[in-house]
Amino acid sequence: MPRSPLKALLAGCFATAALASGPADAAASYEVVRQEQTCPKERQPRSLRQTLVILDEAIVSAEPEANQRWTRMVVEAADARDAGTGGLGTRERFTLLVARRDGSELVPLFFGCSPNLPPEESERAKAGDSMFDRFIGSDSEARRKAARDAFAAGLARALAQVQKRAPEIAARPAPADSLLKALQNAGRLADLNHGLPRIILVTPFGVAEKGRTGDVPAARRAGFELAERSAIDFGRAEVYLAGAALRDSAPLEFARALVLGAKGQLVGVRSDGLPRLSPEPTSLRLYAGFIDYVGQRTPLQVRLAASAQGDLVNSWVETTLSRTTATPLAGKMLCRGQEKGQAPGEVCEVRGDGRFAQVWFPDPQAEPADRGKLPFGGARTIALDLKGRIAAGRILDPKVIFSGENGQRREELTFEIQRVEDGQF
């Protein structure tokens, strides 16, 4: 299979950087590389998502071949050839950060935006090209190629800094919890002004050793407890682990619980490359209001992001009882055409995948001992009907009776919340 233009250019850039590099102090600061010429200007279409790649220095090796593997993962995450396969979307923000091997900090290495453009915009640009533009090499396709080359060259310069310091980095011990400490020290990871966060951790994820007990329920409880102690907040992000060998069920469930407890959804894990990525969201709706939690008026926020096929991606339901809890929402959002008195696309049905709050079960294969301690009692069913600015929803489960004060009992929770324009959640 031929290499993409991005990968081919990166290969050449890395070779040049390797020849030019000399001795380096692994503890020295990295130079931040910015390649933001293709970031969206005012009124230009932009992606609803942003991608953050966090390169854990614990994966850096003194062996060049091992370093090629993590380099390939970062390069594939930055590939803008086909947004439909999970690659970067239209002018999508791309950020590369480095987690220090000692866990001391998370430092920026690269900021840029995908040079990927929507087909209709590319066609309009081609239609505006003159013969003179094509003759002197300043036509739209030449400009697009130059933007791709500049983006790839900037990323190559950024990664070459880690490559040339690899022996010094690898010579220092890497504590198992160094990545978590770096994430904890970093605070807020993503600026929601740049889109819904997708976080790709390129890491051996040594902390998963805590989950190698062979006991899935114990591993999940350990993951939830560690998330609470660490106070890491992924900010309701899709999270992927690349380079982590979690083949056994216990460490994998430990990782899922840890990420969920830190307000993230672990979508994919792969040891030898980049996991399969979810498609880009093409629609986004935010709703806010209150839910009657059996006599208790409780704040509720819902984020509905859907792909072009109507699959919910990076969607969340967040409520606050004794504490704020975010639960990922998977399923379908199907919108009908124009109805009487309604604008096109405003009448939609959202149906969950039948698991919803079951993700909080300590043991995915067994009934929880106390549903009262789980968000929404671990209810598996959620449905919403969207009409105009209102989302009417209900949460229920055949095995759940919701109880409140004064002996109140209900078989389902219902709510009506309003759409929020230009909000962030």
Side-chain angles (χ1 to χ4, degrees), residues 90-257:
T90 299
R91 300 186 178 92
E92 181 173 348
R93 186 79 175 184
F94 180 85
T95 303
L96 175 61
L97 305 165
V98 175
R100 290 293 197 181
R101 197 175 178 93
D102 61 1
S104 60
E105 59 182 336
L106 203 64
V107 295
L109 190 60
F110 177 83
F111 294 106
C113 291
S114 164
N116 201 18
L117 300 179
E120 60 274 13
E121 187 172 339
S122 297
E123 291 303 317
R124 286 198 303 270
K126 287 181 182 178
D129 291 338
S130 66
M131 291 184 62
F132 183 71
D133 291 331
R134 289 188 285 271
F135 177 74
I136 64 174
S138 64
D139 58 288
S140 58
E141 188 56 37
R143 294 194 300 272
R144 185 178 179 184
K145 182 180 182 303
R148 285 181 177 273
D149 290 351
F151 181 82
L155 182 60
R157 289 198 308 274
L159 288 173
Q161 296 181 68
V162 186
Q163 294 263 3
K164 71 180 181 180
R165 300 178 187 183
E168 289 83 8
I169 294 173
R172 292 176 292 160
D177 59 351
S178 61
L179 175 62
L180 295 189
K181 286 183 177 178
L183 292 172
Q184 185 178 12
N185 291 335
R188 188 177 181 182
L189 296 175
D191 180 354
L192 292 180
N193 287 309
H194 297 309
L196 305 182
R198 173 174 68 174
I199 299 175
I200 301 172
L201 302 173
V202 180
T203 174
F205 204 63
V207 70
E209 293 293 332
K210 296 178 181 292
R212 293 193 184 279
T213 64
D215 182 344
V216 168
R220 285 181 61 81
R221 284 193 292 270
F224 286 134
E225 290 167 3
L226 181 56
E228 187 169 359
R229 290 198 309 272
S230 67
I232 293 171
D233 187 350
F234 284 114
R236 298 169 299 278
E238 287 182 344
V239 178
Y240 299 83
L241 295 179
L246 304 180
R247 297 182 182 89
D248 299 332
S249 57
L252 179 57
E253 290 300 331
F254 169 85
R256 283 191 177 129

